[in-house]
Amino acid sequence: MKKLIVAASCALALVAGTAQAQERNLRIAFDVPYEPFEYKDENGELTGFEVELADAMCEEMNANCEFVIQAWDGMIPGLLARKFDLIMSSMSITPERAERVLFSEPYYNTPGGWFGPNDFSTDVTDMDAMKGKTVGVQRGTTMDTYVTENMGGIVEIKRYTTADDMVLDLEGQRLDVVFVDYPVGEQTVLTKDGFKEVGEAVKLGEGVGVAMRKRDTDLADEVNAALRTLKEDGTYDTIMKKYFNYDIKI
């Protein structure tokens, strides 16, 4: 009997050791604040749509995840320098970025939105009317690329490290309009008195994906499988409905 007990104990220890060995330790980067995707609540706790989705994804992957706050313009350099393992911070999938990083399947898609003061009456698609206007964008985003390619030399483009700084300049009348991820504009501009949506939403890119290093193909397979499971079992929809009143799922 004693031998059986010892054998059973060894077997349990082996199973536990194997389970621990299979757990991943991952660091996931977020650009904060970028409400409603990632931001700190009134208690200083990191929250938001992508933060909650990352929590659920890590649980599905049996991974121990550490969340890292990283400024947007250092996202891809930080990933390549191994400061973190994944970027899950509203990074649109573009051909240029795909040359440097490996993307998961897209997990949401939202357009870019134009926002400005209530007295702004210019048609943002009329380049003659927009000439000389000052447009705010967040540096290095698909919105930055869109304005640069379509309006460069026509408008003055002011680039910001964070969306919050951009909105502060809009409030201070140092910008005529901003072009930002639509849900961010809803949360950071339309919630303030005196501001409105000033143009049609613009579809950009191929959706948003989790970014990883090119060689991390096994990790990408795990991420894709976890995200698919979260969509299929309803977890994704539950999280999404906490932050959006419309469907952003691809």
Side-chain angles (χ1 to χ4, degrees), residues 3-19:
K3 290 181 180 179
L4 288 173
I5 292 172
V6 170
S9 298
C10 290
L12 287 170
L14 180 62
V15 170
T18 302

Side-chain angles (χ1 to χ4, degrees), residues 7-230:
S9 298
C10 290
L12 287 170
L14 180 62
V15 170
T18 302
Q20 288 176 353
Q22 290 175 344
E23 284 187 349
R24 280 187 177 273
N25 294 306
L26 297 173
R27 294 159 297 167
I28 304 178
F30 301 94
D31 173 32
V32 178
Y34 202 63
E35 192 173 355
F37 297 100
E38 40 265 344
Y39 60 97
K40 289 187 177 181
D41 64 18
E42 61 274 9
N43 298 316
E45 297 294 324
L46 192 61
T47 189
F49 169 73
E50 284 179 300
V51 174
E52 290 202 32
L53 186 61
D55 265 329
M57 182 185 76
C58 290
E59 184 175 351
E60 183 65 31
M61 293 170 59
N62 193 32
N64 297 312
C65 291
E66 175 188 353
F67 293 166
V68 178
I69 295 176
Q70 168 66 53
W72 180 256
D73 53 7
M75 277 291 183
I76 290 180
L79 177 70
L80 299 181
R82 305 188 67 82
K83 292 182 179 179
F84 35 83
D85 305 297
L86 306 98
I87 300 170
M88 199 164 178
S89 191
S90 298
M91 182 167 282
S92 295
I93 301 168
T94 66
E96 295 77 17
R97 289 173 181 158
E99 291 179 358
R100 303 180 67 193
V101 301
L102 175 63
F103 279 106
S104 72
E105 296 169 2
Y107 59 91
Y108 84 81
N109 195 9
T110 57
W114 292 96
F115 302 91
N118 286 339
D119 61 1
F120 185 87
S121 57
T122 304
D123 179 356
V124 294
T125 65
D126 183 341
M127 294 302 102
D128 288 333
M130 285 293 291
K131 189 172 183 178
K133 301 291 186 186
T134 305
V135 178
V137 293
Q138 190 172 4
R139 183 181 295 108
T141 62
T142 51
M143 281 67 67
D144 182 0
T145 301
Y146 178 88
V147 171
T148 300
E149 291 180 350
N150 292 281
M151 306 174 81
I154 297 169
V155 302
E156 179 184 353
I157 305 170
K158 293 192 70 173
R159 297 175 175 89
Y160 295 83
T161 301
T162 70
D164 275 6
D165 287 342
M166 180 172 59
V167 174
L168 283 174
D169 267 10
L170 181 64
E171 289 184 284
Q173 300 181 358
R174 290 177 288 275
L175 296 171
D176 293 301
V177 290
V178 299
F179 188 50
V180 67
D181 205 347
Y182 193 90
V184 176
E186 280 189 313
Q187 295 288 331
T188 62
V189 181
L190 295 187
T191 54
K192 302 179 185 299
D193 291 335
F195 294 92
K196 64 180 182 180
E197 184 180 355
V198 299
E200 295 291 328
V202 181
K203 184 179 179 181
L204 301 168
E206 303 170 23
V208 165
V210 182
M212 293 152 278
R213 288 178 286 274
K214 282 277 194 178
R215 67 182 185 182
D216 290 339
T217 54
D218 289 344
L219 177 58
D221 289 341
E222 291 182 47
V223 167
N224 284 328
L227 290 174
R228 283 195 294 268
T229 297
L230 296 176

